[in-house]
Amino acid sequence: MSCAFSDHSTEVGVILGTGTNACYMEKLQRVELWDGINSEPDQVIINTEWGAFGDNGCLDFVRTDIDKEVDRTSLNPNKQIFEKMISGMYMGEIVRRLIVECASKGLIFNGHIPADLNTEGRFYTKYVSEIEQDEDDGEFSRTQQILDELGVIKPTLIIDCQRVQEICRVISERAAFLASAGIAALINRINKPNTTVAVDGSLYRFHPHFHNLMLQKTQSLTREGLKLHMMLSEDGSGKGAALVAAVAHRIRTTSSAHSS
């Protein structure tokens, strides 16, 4: 709503933070469950609740053993499957488990797994963003600092830093591409020449590559001839709620005036 106020081509809203969800503008005649008044405006905002996509097993073909372990040990097993592959609440844990698996096979850290790294939830998603900010300049200062916090024995080899960064990159890329697939499906359904996608959330906001990854992949998945613009929603919850309240008040005031 906040982005639509300044950009009237905004048709999709996405949150990519601790959790994930999306909404979009839909024509009333395409909403089978609509039982309200069919009048102008002839469209409605649909809350997709796409975090629950995959709860019926349709995503099992792309889920890994680590995805299944993260789900099994979560507070809500077998629910919010799509969200558990994308959002900030789970991304760090997926990376941690993958790092531990590589270390247990002797691929990094000479097979040593410190206690902190072996603790569930100890590898925060913010670490993923910070590690991916490191340039491959032979120093990896951010990565070194994070691994030091996790108790990895010094000196950390550069090859270990490179491999940890690659693990973060792969998991980030997968999350961005999965989100892009959902956004592209919505854009193709809306089927308008120009569509703006408003995105909010800490993952999208602070990850150094998420925007570019999503934009590139979404463009490749949308129908030919459809153009999209992806923009950061500033204070979407506050401004959006205020705009909705203002419009509701105006409609109520207008209706009361006509009635009297």
Side-chain angles (χ1 to χ4, degrees), residues 6-247:
S6 57
D7 185 341
H8 295 173
S9 64
T10 302
E11 299 281 341
V12 179
V14 178
I15 180 74
L16 288 167
T18 304
T20 184
N21 196 7
C23 62
Y24 74 103
M25 299 300 301
E26 181 63 280
K27 296 178 180 178
L28 281 181
Q29 62 264 33
R30 301 180 72 178
V31 184
E32 297 178 3
L33 300 178
W34 179 259
D35 58 0
I37 300 173
N38 289 300
S39 61
E40 293 293 337
D42 62 346
Q43 55 185 350
V44 65
I45 298 175
I46 297 292
N47 175 13
T48 67
E49 291 291 353
W50 78 6
F53 180 52
D55 289 7
N56 63 354
C58 65
L59 289 179
D60 287 354
F61 75 105
V62 292
R63 295 174 71 207
T64 66
D65 290 340
I66 289 178
D67 289 319
K68 294 172 183 177
E69 278 298 301
V70 169
D71 174 48
R72 185 183 64 79
T73 58
S74 69
L75 297 175
N76 55 343
N78 302 314
K79 294 181 179 179
Q80 299 297 107
I81 298 301
F82 194 55
E83 181 170 88
K84 288 171 182 172
M85 300 174 75
I86 294 177
S87 72
M89 179 175 286
Y90 305 98
M91 183 183 291
E93 179 60 15
I94 293 172
V95 169
R96 185 195 69 80
R97 288 176 180 266
L98 189 50
I99 291 174
V100 169
E101 182 176 313
C102 289
S104 67
K105 295 177 180 179
L107 300 175
I108 52 176
F109 310 147
N110 291 321
H112 174 69
I113 306 173
D116 272 356
L117 189 57
N118 213 23
T119 302
E120 184 175 354
R122 182 62 181 84
F123 196 98
Y124 310 126
T125 297
K126 70 174 184 177
Y127 288 167
V128 179
S129 297
E130 291 172 7
I131 287 172
E132 288 206 58
Q133 289 178 36
D134 263 343
E135 299 291 337
D136 191 352
D137 56 3
E139 295 186 5
F140 290 97
S141 57
R142 293 183 180 87
T143 306
Q144 294 266 17
Q145 180 179 348
I146 290 168
L147 294 178
D148 182 48
E149 290 178 19
L150 294 171
V152 175
I153 297 174
K154 285 188 173 183
T156 308
L157 299 176
I158 293 302
I159 187 65
D160 287 337
C161 292
Q162 290 173 331
R163 288 172 178 171
V164 167
Q165 189 180 65
E166 178 66 8
I167 289 170
C168 291
R169 186 194 65 78
V170 168
I171 299 304
S172 296
E173 191 172 88
R174 184 186 74 153
F177 286 0
L178 285 170
S180 300
I183 293 171
L186 295 178
I187 292 174
N188 288 335
R189 179 176 177 83
I190 294 168
N191 197 32
K192 289 188 176 181
N194 295 282
T195 300
T196 295
V197 180
V199 190
D200 197 3
S202 55
L203 182 59
Y204 178 83
R205 185 183 296 267
F206 297 119
H207 193 286
H209 309 302
F210 227 75
H211 170 82
N212 290 336
L213 287 169
M214 285 178 58
L215 186 60
Q216 180 182 8
K217 180 56 68 172
T218 305
Q219 287 174 330
S220 72
L221 295 174
T222 50
R223 194 174 294 117
E224 185 176 355
L226 301 183
K227 297 180 180 179
L228 73 103
H229 172 58
M230 202 170 288
M231 65 184 296
L232 176 66
S233 175
E234 299 286 354
D235 189 25
S237 299
K239 291 181 181 178
L243 286 167
V244 170
V247 171

